[in-house]
Amino acid sequence: MVNEFSNDDVPIGPVDASVVPRFAGIATFARLPRLDQVPRADIAIVGVPFDSGVSYRPGARFGPSHVRESSRLLRPYNPVQDVSPFASQQVADAGDIAVNPFNILEAVDQIEAGARQLSEGGTKLVTIGGDHTIALPLLRVAHAQHGPVAVVHFDAHLDTWDTYFGAPITHGTPFRRASEEGLIDMQHSLHVGIRGPLYDREDLRDDKRLGFAIIASHEIQLEGLQSAITRMLDRLGDRPVYVSVDIDVLDPAHAPGTGTPEAGGMTSRELLAMLRELQHVNLVGADIVEVAPAYDHAQITGIAAAHVTYEIISSMAPRER
């Protein structure tokens, strides 16, 4: 059951937890209505259960359902951002884009087609993966609507490598392909939270050439969170912004359920604080990827991803400036 309103201008919100217990009913994201239960949607939450592009641990195909299940405890008012994200805009769960798990190129085309259809009429997409391969078709759709977008990419890894075993499209290559295709704003894009060993120093030179600045995890530790926020906002400027969050940007203590964990990552508190600052930019789309529930414990990773999604939706909410 969802809240019903006769006025189509009033958003339909989550199931009332005082009527239906949080542990009951179908687990849409934050217990929001399905897309077919609303006349329109400002934001559509969509899952892409695809992980055929991974290079290490599989399992992110089960991420969308895990994050939805982990989102049951989310509440309608965000006190830090001072916004009710489900009351000021219509947010709905669009279900999953079903794609071919045996053919990466076909899957990428299917994701792009599904995302284009869902975003018709100006609906913003917040996509739950799945592995990071899905960012490439999502950026193609964002580019078709907004031109080159400033990408803020939260991740332990650069994801601007060229190929894996000769394959040009994997979870380690989406931002290289996006840069080569002209999808990103090369003067305003950046990675946040990068850490761990690389293959070669050339990886960093390549990454800079492809249009990314870097705020590394150790820089957040040494220079402080506020410095990282200032650097991020200065880099993004007033461009249309697409945010891509690989949950492995968090330290494994905060997100064990992921495919390529790296020690020394951000805390969930630091990540949420940076995402809240995106309320100050023109946020046009987002993805949250690489949640692999088989490696999760007590929904630690799923809950973190659910709150990441919630803060992004809150940052998209309209408000007086």
Side-chain angles (χ1 to χ4, degrees), residues 260-277:
T260 49
E262 302 277 1
M266 297 176 70
T267 67
S268 55
R269 183 169 57 226
E270 290 169 336
L271 176 58
L272 296 179
M274 294 195 74
L275 293 173
R276 289 170 187 141
E277 295 301 318

Side-chain angles (χ1 to χ4, degrees), residues 160-170 172-173 176-177 180 199:
T160 52
W161 287 287
D162 192 9
T163 63
Y164 279 95
F165 297 93
I169 298 179
T170 73
T173 68
R176 189 186 193 99
R177 302 286 90 84
E180 291 169 347
Y199 295 104

